[in-house]
Amino acid sequence: MTIRNWIKFFIMCMTIGGLVTAVAGTIIRWNFFYPYLAAGEIGEFIAAFTWMIVLGFTMSVIAQAGFFGYLTLHQVGVGIFRSLTLWNWVQLLLIFVVLGDLIIFRFAPNAESAMDWLFYGGLLVFLVFAAIATAIKKVKLTEKKHILIPSIFFMIVVTSLEWLIALMGRQDNIDTYIALLLFPLVAVNAFQLLALPKYNQKSEEDRKKLEERRKQRKEQEALSKKNKNRKSSKA
C-alpha cells in the first residue's frame, strides 16, 4: 500500500472509530449525558461527546495495530504449518478456545445475576454474528471460500484480544465500557477486513500511473536531448 492510500485508510478507520464510539457512547451512557442537556450545560455536553470521539480514535489505533499484527501472524501460521487448510483448522480451534475463555474467565466472574448473563450473552452474540456476517461478505467480495475461517478468526479472536482492555477492568462502571468499546472495535475491524483490498488495488493503480509518468518523462528528456544534439551538430 502506498503512503497516500495508507493515510486515507488510517483516516477512514479513525473516523469510523470516532463516530461509532460517539454515537454508542451517547446511547449507552445517556444517563451521564442527559443531565448536561437538561441543565443547559452545552459546553459540558460537547466536552463529554468529544471525549467519546477521542476514545474512539484510541480504539481505532488499537484495532489497526491488531489488524496489521494479524496479517503478519497469518503469514507466519501458513509458513509454520505449510498448509493453508491445516492453518485454517488451527484457527478454527483457537476461535472456540477464545470463545470459551470469554465465557469462563471473563464473563462468569462478573456475572452475578441472570441479567448479567443476558448482558454478556448479548455482547457475545453480537460479536459472533458480526464476525460471521463480515466473513461472508468478504468471501462474496473476493470469491475465495478459503478466507472464511481466517476472516472469522480475525473478527473474533483479534477483536477479543483488543477488547481485553475493558474485559480486564474492575471498576464499578466497567460493564458500560465493556459494551461501549466493543462497537468501535467491531466496526473498524470489519471495515479494515473488507476495505483493504480496495486500497491495495488503488495503490497498485497509483504505482502504474507513476511508472507511466516516469516513462513519459524519460522519453521527453531523451527527445529533448536528441533535438538539442541535432541543433548543436547543425551549428
Side-chain angles (χ1 to χ4, degrees):
M1 188 184 299
T2 61
I3 295 298
R4 181 170 65 177
N5 284 295
W6 177 80
I7 292 174
K8 291 179 180 179
F9 185 76
F10 178 81
I11 292 175
M12 279 300 300
C13 290
M14 293 281 283
T15 301
I16 292 172
L19 289 178
V20 170
T21 306
V23 173
T26 303
I27 296 173
I28 294 173
R29 304 198 66 196
W30 179 245
N31 291 336
F32 173 77
F33 283 97
Y34 178 73
Y36 292 134
L37 292 176
E41 298 176 354
I42 304 301
E44 295 294 332
F45 175 82
I46 294 175
F49 190 80
T50 301
W51 165 244
M52 288 290 105
I53 295 177
V54 173
L55 182 60
F57 288 164
T58 304
M59 291 300 102
S60 171
V61 172
I62 293 173
Q64 291 180 69
F67 181 57
F68 288 103
Y70 172 70
L71 293 179
T72 302
L73 174 65
H74 182 68
Q75 296 301 320
V76 172
V78 173
I80 292 175
F81 294 99
R82 299 184 180 278
S83 167
L84 184 59
T85 301
L86 181 57
W87 172 230
N88 279 347
W89 278 107
V90 172
Q91 289 182 96
L92 186 61
L93 175 62
L94 290 174
I95 289 171
F96 287 106
V97 170
V98 168
L99 290 176
D101 176 82
L102 287 176
I103 295 172
I104 298 172
F105 298 106
R106 310 301 169 186
F107 297 159
N110 297 322
E112 300 177 352
S113 65
M115 288 300 297
D116 290 336
W117 277 112
L118 184 63
F119 168 75
Y120 291 125
L123 294 179
L124 189 62
V125 169
F126 169 75
L127 174 61
V128 173
F129 176 81
I132 295 174
T134 302
I136 292 175
K137 181 66 176 179
K138 179 73 173 180
V139 170
K140 289 182 178 179
L141 289 175
T142 60
E143 297 182 350
K144 297 177 180 178
K145 295 182 179 180
H146 67 271
I147 66 173
L148 178 67
I149 292 177
S151 298
I152 295 176
F153 176 88
F154 169 70
M155 289 298 298
I156 292 179
V157 175
V158 178
T159 300
S160 296
L161 293 175
E162 297 161 352
W163 197 21
L164 284 177
I165 297 172
L167 292 174
M168 295 180 68
R170 290 293 180 268
Q171 297 89 337
D172 292 338
N173 63 339
I174 193 60
D175 283 352
T176 298
Y177 285 96
I178 286 177
L180 175 59
L181 299 186
L182 177 62
F183 294 105
L185 290 174
V186 169
V188 174
N189 281 338
F191 171 78
Q192 291 183 112
L193 193 62
L194 298 177
L196 182 64
K198 182 183 73 174
Y199 284 88
N200 285 336
Q201 181 180 0
K202 185 65 170 59
S203 296
E204 187 62 29
E205 292 173 356
D206 290 345
R207 289 192 188 95
K208 290 180 180 179
K209 290 178 181 178
L210 180 59
E211 289 297 326
E212 186 65 27
R213 287 197 296 267
R214 287 176 177 172
K215 183 179 179 181
Q216 292 176 357
R217 191 181 304 116
K218 288 180 180 179
E219 291 176 351
Q220 290 174 357
E221 290 175 353
L223 182 61
S224 177
K225 185 177 181 180
K226 185 177 180 181
N227 291 335
K228 185 177 179 180
N229 292 336
R230 185 178 299 171
K231 291 179 180 178
S232 298
S233 61
K234 287 182 178 180

